[in-house]
Amino acid sequence: MNQTLLDAAALIVPLILAIVFHEVSHGWTALALGDPTAQEERRLSLNPLRHVDPFGTVILPGTLALAGAPIFGWAKPVPVNRWRLRDPRRGMMVVAAAGPGSNLVLAAVGAVLLGLVVRFAGSADSAVLEFIAKNFFNFIRVNVFLALFNLLPIPPFDGSHIVEGLLPRGLAEGYARLRPYGFPLLIVLLLVVPYFFPQWGIVGRLVVPPVMWATGHYFALAQFVAGV
């Protein structure tokens, strides 16, 4: 039981940090592009309590992790008013990309820190060092997965805002009409379809391969820093 709790903590803590930075990055970018909505609602804070959705940030991903299922979750979305951006169309693309971009940067930071732990801890046998290393290991994996998962072009993911900004205006307006049906569509595509047709799972077919490729490079960076 103790090991299970430690394993859960080593996953949930990195997940919360990754999601909080992801959301705050949207707000910081929106502010830089002219929209102070998140600042006005005091959401430009790294305090997890301002962003954590108890179910979407902790309970659901923790349960999925313990069940060995694909992990996903969400936080309370940072409010962004596209019409307060100086260039609403292009601005929303940049704001949307800021979340996944921040996760890729955090993964690099995690890789460097993991490498430093291995380099300076050496072969020291310590449960504390093992727990710290496991946190950094999961921090890399969670950030890479969160970045690439959110780039799926399905509303309300960040990828949908990027696609909407790239489409011609007429097509973009039609695509935007799918947004109210985004969450039910997610449930169908991510949970229902894989249950009945495992070979059609979006996560396994579209997300996992690039995640594995990217995490391999981040772990290579960790090894370089560690000098192994």
Side-chain angles (χ1 to χ4, degrees):
M1 177 61 74
N2 288 340
Q3 187 59 49
T4 300
L5 291 175
L6 286 174
D7 288 343
L11 178 65
I12 291 173
V13 171
L15 181 63
I16 289 175
L17 290 174
I19 291 177
V20 167
F21 272 94
H22 180 105
E23 290 298 331
V24 172
S25 293
H26 288 315
W28 283 337
T29 305
L31 179 64
L33 297 178
D35 174 25
T37 304
Q39 182 182 53
E40 292 170 353
E41 298 190 17
R42 301 179 62 194
R43 293 295 304 281
L44 297 184
S45 169
L46 295 178
N47 179 357
L49 297 179
R50 293 191 180 276
H51 306 284
V52 167
D53 180 297
F55 181 77
T57 312
V58 179
I59 297 174
L60 177 62
T63 302
L64 292 173
L66 294 176
I71 302 167
F72 66 95
W74 58 84
K76 296 176 184 176
V78 166
V80 176
N81 185 340
R82 65 181 300 152
W83 303 115
R84 300 179 75 178
L85 297 169
R86 286 188 287 272
D87 183 342
R89 182 174 169 82
R90 297 184 185 277
M92 278 303 299
M93 289 177 59
V94 177
V95 170
S102 71
N103 292 126
L104 295 177
V105 171
L106 287 174
V109 172
V112 171
L113 293 175
L114 176 60
L116 291 175
V117 169
V118 174
R119 187 183 189 95
F120 293 107
S123 58
D125 185 13
S126 167
V128 174
L129 287 174
E130 181 181 348
F131 180 71
I132 292 173
K134 186 175 291 186
N135 270 272
F136 287 136
F137 180 84
N138 287 335
F139 190 65
I140 297 168
R141 294 170 58 214
V142 164
N143 273 287
V144 173
F145 183 87
L146 190 62
L148 299 184
F149 186 65
N150 271 279
L151 288 175
L152 288 173
I154 306 170
F157 287 162
D158 298 325
S160 68
H161 292 288
I162 296 172
V163 168
E164 186 177 331
L166 292 173
L167 290 173
R169 291 189 180 275
L171 291 176
E173 291 174 359
Y175 183 73
R177 295 191 189 101
L178 296 175
R179 201 162 296 283
Y181 309 103
F183 192 74
L185 182 61
L186 278 179
I187 298 299
V188 171
L189 293 177
L190 298 180
L191 297 178
V192 177
V193 171
Y195 180 80
F196 290 103
F197 307 99
Q199 70 277 15
W200 292 355
I202 287 180
V203 174
R205 292 177 64 87
L206 298 182
V207 181
V208 171
V211 166
M212 296 295 290
W213 177 84
T215 51
H217 286 280
Y218 282 110
F219 289 137
L221 172 61
Q223 288 181 317
F224 174 78
V225 174
V228 298

